[in-house]
Amino acid sequence: MAVTSMDLLYSTVNLFRSFPPQGRDVDGEGSSASGRETSENPVQTLRQLTGFDNNPPQPLYVSRDTLLEDNIAFFKKKFDVTRPISVRFHGEQAIDAGGGPLRENFRSLQGLLRSTELNMFYGTQSHNLLPSNNQQLLYSGLFEVLGKIISASIINSAPMTLPLHQAVIHFLLNRPREEQCDKITIEDILDVELKGFLMKILDCDQDDELTAVINEEGSPTHWLDNCGWPASKAMTVACKHEIVHCIMYNYFIGMRCAPLSAIQSGMKCGDKFPLNVIRPAQLTALLTPRPITSAEVKELVQPSVDRLKMDGSEVANYVVRLFEEIGMSSLLWSKCFGGRGEGNELLNPPSLWATIPHSDRANLTNFCLA
């Protein structure tokens, strides 16, 4: 079947959108596209320890209509963390330029995993995600699958945006409980009733006040019953901070220990994936990538731009001109990824964009922002 200029256009933009944002450094400054795997980034170490770069790729065939199901089946039975993943979308001509389909798969997958319909996470979508205590997902093995997906996205240099709470990050990396507790604050609790209860406890100055708060009708005392407070230890004002920390640890970690342990087990991939080489700040950076810059994207999509040049059609020529003049960045980088230009400034709308016929402009815009 002949490939039309619009097919090439859509393939190029789809590839364009699939490139992952580059991870933030620990201090918040972005790294270059080629600088992700540095001494401050554990990916190269992980690849060396697993022999990743010397092993043959493993194919992953997915359909856009069943992308979540196809990935779950793959990671449950066929996945080997020591081998690169090669993604092919059913019924589509894959463009092998820097692993575009692979990145697009993980990019689409992260949205499905974080959807409210799946109910795998609890918390805001922008930060401080906690795994839900969904027993159905736990018994079906999906939390362990999630762990494998996280490790796969990291070692394949296709990181997902999965802003887990810092206490969760520290638990997954086997950090001591004291370090986990250091990352827990009342402000991060989304349960308004529980937060108010804890604030009342901290406001107590006398033992009788504390007793009154605990015995108050309607108080969420089930948190006290389930937090692991020693039955032989009296609850007094002198240990009110200890009481609050005990409840908070149960909220963030204790009550989610089963799904967290399943995620951790999945990330280890049968001890093939050495978690001990990753520091908490590094895992945080890998799971909270920064927007990609125009210079990085231009380098990555150049093979597709060259292919469009060969097409020679009017539409293809428009796209080539937009890419080459970096004008396309405002439409795609800013609106699709929130990207920034070479000077870390958001680029201005491209004047050349106005020259595209409205029919082509609508098609392209709808596709890019879908």
Side-chain angles (χ1 to χ4, degrees):
M1 182 175 66
V3 179
T4 66
S5 59
M6 194 57 71
D7 290 332
L8 281 170
L9 168 61
Y10 284 4
S11 294
T12 299
V13 175
N14 216 9
L15 171 68
F16 188 19
R17 296 170 65 203
S18 73
F19 283 110
Q22 306 302 309
R24 289 187 185 275
D25 294 332
V26 173
D27 61 3
E29 295 181 3
S31 58
S32 66
S34 60
R36 286 184 55 81
E37 295 173 2
T38 66
S39 59
E40 290 300 319
N41 189 307
V43 176
Q44 189 59 43
T45 301
L46 290 167
R47 289 185 169 189
Q48 291 172 352
L49 292 174
T50 58
F52 182 87
D53 293 325
N54 297 321
N55 292 331
Q58 53 192 326
L60 169 55
Y61 299 98
V62 296
S63 169
R64 294 189 185 277
D65 295 330
T66 56
L67 189 140
L68 178 60
E69 294 82 356
D70 294 340
N71 274 274
I72 290 174
F74 172 78
F75 282 102
K76 271 191 173 182
K77 297 181 179 180
K78 303 176 182 179
F79 171 63
D80 182 352
V81 74
T82 67
R83 296 172 57 190
I85 296 176
S86 177
V87 173
R88 180 71 178 271
F89 284 95
H90 177 70
E92 298 183 22
Q93 182 67 39
I95 300 178
D96 186 17
L102 170 72
R103 293 177 171 89
E104 185 180 357
N105 174 70
F106 281 110
R107 180 179 179 273
S108 300
L109 188 58
Q110 74 183 25
L112 295 172
L113 291 172
R114 293 171 59 180
S115 67
T116 54
E117 292 80 7
L118 188 60
N119 190 28
M120 181 168 270
F121 294 101
Y122 175 74
T124 66
Q125 288 295 301
S126 59
H127 66 290
N128 290 342
L129 288 179
L130 298 169
S132 68
N133 200 19
N134 189 314
Q135 296 300 299
Q136 182 179 355
L137 296 181
L138 179 63
Y139 293 133
S140 65
L142 285 191
F143 282 112
E144 185 171 353
V145 166
L146 171 63
K148 292 180 180 180
I149 291 172
I150 291 173
S151 292
S153 70
I154 290 173
I155 201 168
N156 282 274
S157 295
M160 302 185 298
T161 301
L162 200 64
L164 299 174
H165 192 279
Q166 281 299 300
V168 170
I169 292 285
H170 281 68
F171 178 94
L172 294 176
L173 296 180
N174 288 313
R175 311 305 277 193
R177 175 167 174 160
E178 294 74 20
E179 291 187 25
Q180 299 170 34
C181 290
D182 287 343
K183 304 301 178 181
I184 292 173
T185 65
I186 290 182
E187 287 71 22
D188 291 340
I189 295 177
L190 297 181
D191 187 315
V192 177
E193 184 183 37
L194 174 58
K195 184 184 292 188
F197 180 58
L198 297 179
M199 294 300 293
K200 286 182 179 180
I201 292 177
L202 292 176
D203 286 340
C204 293
D205 295 322
Q206 303 293 330
D207 287 346
D208 57 346
E209 289 181 70
L210 179 59
T211 301
V213 167
I214 293 174
N215 295 329
E216 183 181 353
E217 184 177 356
S219 291
T221 54
H222 62 279
W223 288 103
L224 284 170
D225 299 333
N226 300 326
C227 73
W229 185 263
S232 60
K233 188 173 183 177
M235 293 187 180
T236 64
V237 169
C239 58
K240 64 180 181 180
H241 291 283
E242 191 177 349
I243 295 171
V244 168
H245 274 283
C246 187
I247 295 175
M248 289 198 300
Y249 186 80
N250 182 55
Y251 173 87
F252 287 101
I253 301 296
M255 65 177 289
R256 310 172 199 279
C257 194
L260 282 170
S261 296
I263 295 171
Q264 183 188 70
S265 175
M267 290 180 68
K268 290 180 179 178
C269 299
D271 292 327
K272 292 182 178 179
F273 192 82
L275 289 177
N276 61 306
V277 306
I278 307 176
R279 298 196 302 271
Q282 293 172 329
L283 182 56
T284 300
L286 287 167
L287 296 179
T288 51
R290 67 167 172 80
I292 196 167
T293 65
S294 58
E296 290 164 350
V297 174
K298 184 178 181 181
E299 177 184 356
L300 292 170
V301 302
Q302 192 60 50
S304 292
V305 174
D306 293 339
R307 185 176 177 186
L308 277 173
K309 287 181 180 179
M310 296 174 62
D311 179 75
S313 68
E314 185 176 4
V315 173
N317 286 337
Y318 274 128
V319 178
V320 170
R321 289 170 60 200
L322 288 169
F323 275 140
E324 290 184 338
E325 297 190 15
I326 323 245
M328 195 75 155
S329 55
S330 282
L331 173 70
L332 294 176
W333 291 299
S334 298
K335 293 186 178 180
C336 290
F337 324 116
R340 297 181 180 275
E342 295 176 67
N344 242 14
E345 299 288 338
L346 282 173
L347 298 176
N348 294 322
S351 58
L352 190 57
W353 176 245
T355 68
I356 293 185
H358 284 280
S359 58
D360 291 338
R361 193 186 310 176
N363 289 337
L364 181 57
T365 303
N366 290 337
F367 180 78
C368 295
L369 303 182

